[in-house]
Amino acid sequence: MTTTNKRKLLYRQGTGFWRMTAKWVLVFGALSLLDGGLLRTWGDAVVWPLIGIVLWVPFGIGIVWYSRKDQWVRLTTRELYVRRRRLPMEDVNLLHVARLWLEGRSTADDQPVQQWIRSERVVWVPLLDGRAYGVEFRDPAAFAKVFGAFAVAACGGPDIVRARAAEAAYPEPRPMRVRSAGGGSSSSDVLDLFG
């Protein structure tokens, strides 16, 4: 956990572009060293970096032009940032988040968070007005764990959350319909609730 502008940074997710590039360089660099050092001459081993570059270029261009290439997600104690937009915590139904987390859930489905696989998956962020905003994560369980623990602590602890949830009367959050980027919609269609 780090501190940014006196706000605790609880969770950060980048695009993974540089991580992918670093892995690509390591793999083809290792192949080049192995080939040149053990199997053939260094002149022949130059082929591996060239193959790596030729294969990387379409993937690199695809990620740079990908519609969600700037899907940076940051959760602080005061705001949730998605694609350079922010959702203040005072608009989030933290009591509902905390209650779901204590039940082992953190989204619109009934599968426990511990059973979520590491892949892109939507985690729903419930709002006080009854809507729920979905954010996609490569490791959704990691975000759900951090967000759930933060919500429980912000609401005063597990006992207070259970007591307040038993008495609270708020609408069950309704997931907003997320329109696909290929359907001619812009990023503002999905992020219209961010001010």
Side-chain angles (χ1 to χ4, degrees):
M1 214 182 279
T2 59
T3 303
T4 305
N5 296 331
K6 297 183 180 180
R7 302 179 185 182
K8 278 188 177 178
L9 181 60
L10 305 175
Y11 182 88
R12 184 201 302 270
Q13 170 182 290
T15 61
F17 175 80
W18 294 112
R19 189 181 303 113
M20 181 204 76
T21 301
K23 290 178 180 178
W24 208 273
V25 170
L26 285 175
V27 168
F28 284 94
L31 286 173
S32 179
L33 291 175
L34 177 66
D35 198 7
L38 299 176
L39 303 178
R40 299 186 295 173
T41 65
W42 286 109
D44 295 331
V46 173
V47 170
W48 287 112
L50 294 177
I51 292 174
I53 292 171
V54 169
L55 292 176
W56 178 88
V57 166
F59 288 108
I61 292 175
I63 289 179
V64 169
W65 285 348
Y66 187 42
S67 59
R68 289 192 294 113
K69 66 183 174 64
D70 56 352
Q71 173 100 346
W72 289 93
V73 177
R74 287 195 306 150
L75 172 66
T76 70
T77 53
R78 296 171 64 182
E79 296 163 322
L80 172 65
Y81 291 85
V82 180
R83 296 188 193 177
R84 303 189 188 102
R85 301 197 180 212
R86 63 185 188 88
L87 176 64
M89 279 298 128
E90 55 261 23
D91 294 340
V92 177
N93 190 343
L94 288 177
L95 179 61
H96 188 68
V97 174
R99 181 177 69 83
L100 287 179
W101 175 247
L102 291 177
E103 295 174 358
R105 299 183 296 127
S106 184
T107 186
D109 64 18
D110 294 324
Q111 188 176 9
V113 172
Q114 290 78 5
Q115 296 178 11
W116 287 1
I117 59 174
R118 185 185 171 97
S119 62
E120 284 198 357
R121 182 192 186 100
V122 171
V123 176
W124 294 100
V125 179
L127 306 178
L128 290 172
D129 63 4
R131 295 180 296 167
Y133 176 72
V135 185
E136 290 188 19
F137 294 90
R138 288 191 306 274
D139 191 355
F143 173 79
K145 180 178 180 180
V146 171
F147 195 31
F150 164 70
V152 171
C155 291
D159 295 333
I160 295 178
V161 168
R162 291 186 183 97
R164 287 180 57 195
E167 299 174 358
Y170 55 79
E172 189 70 19
R174 301 178 316 277
M176 297 173 61
R177 184 172 65 88
V178 179
R179 285 163 276 190
S180 65
S185 62
S186 64
S187 60
S188 60
D189 293 333
V190 181
L191 300 168
D192 55 356
L193 59 93
F194 284 74

